[in-house]
Amino acid sequence: MKLLSVIIPVYNEEGNLELLFKRLEKVLSSTDATPEYIFINDGSLDHSMEIIRQLAMKDSRVKFIDFSRNFGHQTAVTAGLDYCNGDCAIIIDADLQDPPEMITELYNKWKEGFEVAYARRRSRQGENFLKKWTARVFYRLLKKITSIQIPVDTGDFRIIDRKVINVLKQMPEQQKFLRGQISWIGFRQTAVEYDRDERHAGKTGYTYSKMIRFALDGITSFSNFPLRFATMMGFLVSAIAFLLILYALYQRLVSREFVPGWASLMLAILFMGGVQLISLGIIGEYISRMDVNVRKRPLYIVRESNLDIMQP
Ligand code: UDP
Ligand code: MG
């Protein structure tokens, strides 16, 4: 009998949890796996935690990890993976955007011998144009500038083997970009296509600022291209500056038509200033991430759990 862990990050999902659990139960009872549910309450402000506790009271296969505050989706999933016991694990959103019925297909792929089977969105429902468009552009940009193959239009909805979980647990970086890390790890990976549903109840926990941070984490963790881009801009601007110097010397010494050139001076200063600030900003993004990793604070803090976790 195979043990399958279902990892469910939860942030303000009170309207979804019961239906989610029902649908998961229905799907999983039709497979030959024994399920284990791990709900990670990521500092929800609603009644999510009470509902999870009720589920755990009724069913001993329901485990929970209650964070001391909101640590973010990727961190919540990481905590679930840290403490799950399954031979394989499913990562699934709590808002029913990832249809639980897909698990059968993913599980079959795992049984065929794939260590990773991810669900790729053929279409996405109920999300606004801006979100779809930014996601589309982001995945394609990331593919261009990273050396690893991160599949496009794929979230974290997937099944991963115990081997992958064990490697993930050895990757201590603070900026989690799980889909990138899992691609980096390798093994046999495959895709299954699906249509992404609308969120069942509640609203998205991913604000634009969270999305931007997530995107920057993904880029900085898997690509040095922005740093190289800063260097390239430096060379380009230096080349232009060199030509301008020659031109200035020519005017001063040969043609002797040196009118006070306010406009050209301003342009040069502003352009240089812009390039320098952008480059500094790029370097800063990397340094601040190094800084966070050097501090080595715990990735998350657990307030309460029915798993065997050391709590503060
Ligand atoms: N989530 C979380 N912490 C957060 C934001 C979201 O654990 O800070 C969970 C959320 O409950 C859901 C999943 O991560 O299960 C995906 O989040 P959401 O549906 O809000 O994102 P979207 O689908 O809009 O990208
Ligand atoms: Mg969602």
Side-chain angles (χ1 to χ4, degrees), residues 1 18 22 29 75-76 78 110 117 123 147 149 155 167 177 182 191 213 223 231 234 261 273 303 308:
M1 204 69 157
E18 269 149 357
K22 221 178 267 159
S29 58
T75 309
T78 303
W110 177 75
S123 67
S147 47
Q149 288 297 314
V167 181
F177 189 70
I182 292 172
R213 191 169 349 128
S223 171
T231 315
R303 180 153 153 271
D308 194 14

Side-chain angles (χ1 to χ4, degrees), residues 162-213:
R162 170 54 48 188
K163 292 195 271 283
V164 178
I165 301 172
N166 287 344
V167 181
L168 276 175
K169 283 161 80 169
Q170 289 168 31
M171 296 171 80
E173 57 245 55
Q174 297 265 335
Q175 297 83 26
K176 294 290 174 188
F177 189 70
L178 286 164
R179 54 201 81 164
Q181 293 187 322
I182 292 172
S183 299
W184 181 87
I185 291 172
F187 291 117
R188 275 159 299 177
Q189 310 210 354
T190 187
V192 171
E193 299 224 311
Y194 78 112
D195 297 299
R196 189 160 168 84
D197 287 337
E198 229 170 294
R199 171 176 260 285
H200 173 69
K203 60 177 182 357
T204 177
Y206 260 97
T207 54
Y208 276 100
S209 72
K210 276 186 190 169
M211 267 165 53
I212 290 169
R213 191 169 349 128

Side-chain angles (χ1 to χ4, degrees), residues 144-164:
K144 276 233 153 55
I145 65 175
T146 53
S147 47
I148 50 163
Q149 288 297 314
I150 301 175
V152 296
D153 301 328
T154 305
D156 289 320
F157 185 29
R158 57 186 67 204
I159 192 165
I160 59 179
D161 186 78
R162 170 54 48 188
K163 292 195 271 283
V164 178

Side-chain angles (χ1 to χ4, degrees), residues 46-295:
D46 63 0
H47 298 292
S48 298
M49 195 54 224
E50 277 105 90
I51 297 171
I52 295 171
R53 211 171 272 132
Q54 276 163 20
L55 290 175
M57 237 144 50
K58 277 186 261 171
D59 192 327
S60 65
R61 298 166 308 166
V62 173
K63 312 287 181 209
F64 62 83
I65 300 172
D66 186 19
F67 279 178
S68 65
R69 63 169 169 84
N70 180 249
F71 280 90
H73 166 244
Q74 298 283 304
T75 309
V77 174
T78 303
L81 293 172
D82 282 346
Y83 292 103
C84 74
N85 298 304
D87 299 298
C88 58
I90 291 270
I91 304 170
I92 189 167
D93 283 358
D95 60 358
L96 293 163
Q97 280 198 290
D98 305 331
E101 292 68 31
M102 282 287 301
I103 291 177
T104 321
E105 221 174 313
L106 294 171
Y107 180 66
N108 287 339
K109 287 285 178 202
W110 177 75
K111 281 208 294 193
E112 276 172 37
F114 289 101
E115 278 91 1
V116 178
Y118 48 85
R120 186 164 47 211
R121 326 190 241 251
R122 204 180 302 134
S123 67
R124 334 175 44 145
Q125 246 90 61
E127 284 169 316
N128 69 32
F129 172 76
L130 191 60
K131 175 141 191 170
K132 282 193 220 177
W133 185 78
T134 46
R136 221 189 127 75
V137 170
F138 171 66
Y139 285 119
R140 277 152 188 83
L141 173 76
L142 197 64
K143 197 185 166 96
K144 276 233 153 55
I145 65 175
T146 53
S147 47
I148 50 163
Q149 288 297 314
I150 301 175
V152 296
D153 301 328
T154 305
D156 289 320
F157 185 29
R158 57 186 67 204
I159 192 165
I160 59 179
D161 186 78
R162 170 54 48 188
K163 292 195 271 283
V164 178
I165 301 172
N166 287 344
V167 181
L168 276 175
K169 283 161 80 169
Q170 289 168 31
M171 296 171 80
E173 57 245 55
Q174 297 265 335
Q175 297 83 26
K176 294 290 174 188
F177 189 70
L178 286 164
R179 54 201 81 164
Q181 293 187 322
I182 292 172
S183 299
W184 181 87
I185 291 172
F187 291 117
R188 275 159 299 177
Q189 310 210 354
T190 187
V192 171
E193 299 224 311
Y194 78 112
D195 297 299
R196 189 160 168 84
D197 287 337
E198 229 170 294
R199 171 176 260 285
H200 173 69
K203 60 177 182 357
T204 177
Y206 260 97
T207 54
Y208 276 100
S209 72
K210 276 186 190 169
M211 267 165 53
I212 290 169
R213 191 169 349 128
F214 179 59
L216 285 178
D217 281 347
I219 292 172
T220 52
S221 303
F222 289 97
S223 171
N224 286 330
F225 177 79
L227 288 172
R228 242 180 305 132
F229 177 74
T231 315
M232 273 153 36
M233 283 300 278
F235 275 113
L236 181 72
V237 171
S238 302
I240 296 170
F242 179 72
L243 294 178
L244 279 174
I245 290 169
L246 288 184
Y247 175 67
L249 283 175
Y250 171 82
Q251 276 205 322
R252 178 68 184 81
L253 300 173
V254 183
S255 77
R256 297 198 172 254
E257 287 170 18
F258 55 105
V259 273
W262 185 81
S264 56
L265 205 63
M266 273 319 264
L267 278 178
I269 290 173
L270 291 176
F271 184 53
M272 289 291 286
V275 168
Q276 283 173 350
L277 285 179
I278 291 170
S279 307
L280 268 180
I282 292 173
I283 296 169
E285 289 291 335
Y286 282 85
I287 292 182
S288 72
R289 281 171 175 77
M290 267 168 64
D291 183 37
V292 167
N293 280 307
V294 169
R295 268 188 246 138

